[in-house]
Amino acid sequence: MDASSAAVLGAAVGALGGLGGGVVAAAGQARQQRRQHDRERQRWRDEVRRAAYGGILTATKQLSNALWKAADQLAQRDAGPAEWQARHEDVHNAWTQFSAAVADVGVAGPQNVVDAAEDLRHVMYDWEMICTAWTHTAIREGSGHVGDFADRFKAAAGAKRAPDRAFQVAARRALGTND
């Protein structure tokens, strides 16, 4: 092999080495970009979930508050149909916000948190329906002291505790904050 052939061969090997190094560097950079993209997507997903989970917790408290105010109004001897109806509208508005918050969790996921939110929705619905029946009966009868609504209302309020806690546990697990 003469010097010129060796020079051409050396240049070819050098070019192939440079090309190979470039390919390896490009592949490493692509992997790094994928990892960065995955981290950003996970951060975005966690932010969406945090907002949805916080929204349902806030909406649950607001609905509970509206339900208790309605019950207190129904228990007052000097209250009447106009006040009962006004409190019922507050409950209905709080229910609408709560229902929307449950739907947000349904979009944010994951499925175990969605299931826990649905369990909470069911008990809140039962509680809200007792309050609605109590209000309608009170308006019809002219008294908030009718039937066993107060006892049923308190039982429904107590039934909310376990699903509320279960939702919070599922949310913490999904966000990795259960430590």
Side-chain angles (χ1 to χ4, degrees), residues 11-45:
V13 168
L16 285 174
L19 181 62
V23 168
V24 168
Q29 186 177 19
R31 256 191 322 276
Q32 178 63 25
Q33 287 175 339
R34 274 193 304 276
R35 274 185 258 153
Q36 179 66 26
H37 174 74
D38 290 346
R39 281 192 300 270
E40 288 173 11
R41 185 180 183 294
Q42 185 174 11
R43 191 177 10 252
W44 170 82
R45 184 200 64 207

Side-chain angles (χ1 to χ4, degrees), residues 58-153:
T58 298
T60 301
K61 301 301 180 207
Q62 290 171 340
L63 178 54
S64 295
N65 186 25
L67 285 162
W68 280 109
K69 283 182 178 181
D72 289 346
Q73 189 81 51
L74 286 161
Q76 289 181 3
R77 296 253 183 233
D78 60 345
E83 292 90 0
W84 300 330
Q85 183 61 40
R87 288 286 168 235
H88 182 260
E89 288 172 14
D90 293 342
V91 168
H92 181 73
N93 291 336
W95 171 261
T96 301
Q97 294 301 311
F98 172 76
S99 182
V102 172
D104 286 346
V105 170
V107 171
Q111 190 60 49
N112 66 318
V113 179
V114 173
D115 293 343
E118 278 300 314
D119 291 344
L120 180 57
R121 187 185 70 75
H122 286 294
V123 297
M124 294 302 286
Y125 178 79
D126 290 344
W127 191 15
E128 193 268 342
M129 294 298 1
I130 291 167
C131 188
T132 296
W134 187 5
T135 301
H136 290 178
T137 302
I139 291 170
R140 188 176 60 250
E141 299 291 324
S143 172
H145 300 276
V146 291
D148 64 345
F149 287 110
D151 292 336
R152 290 174 49 208
F153 182 90

Side-chain angles (χ1 to χ4, degrees), residues 42-57 108 175-177:
Q42 185 174 11
R43 191 177 10 252
W44 170 82
R45 184 200 64 207
D46 288 349
E47 288 172 11
V48 167
R49 286 180 175 174
R50 238 181 243 100
Y53 302 166
I56 196 173
L57 293 172
L175 293 172
T177 58

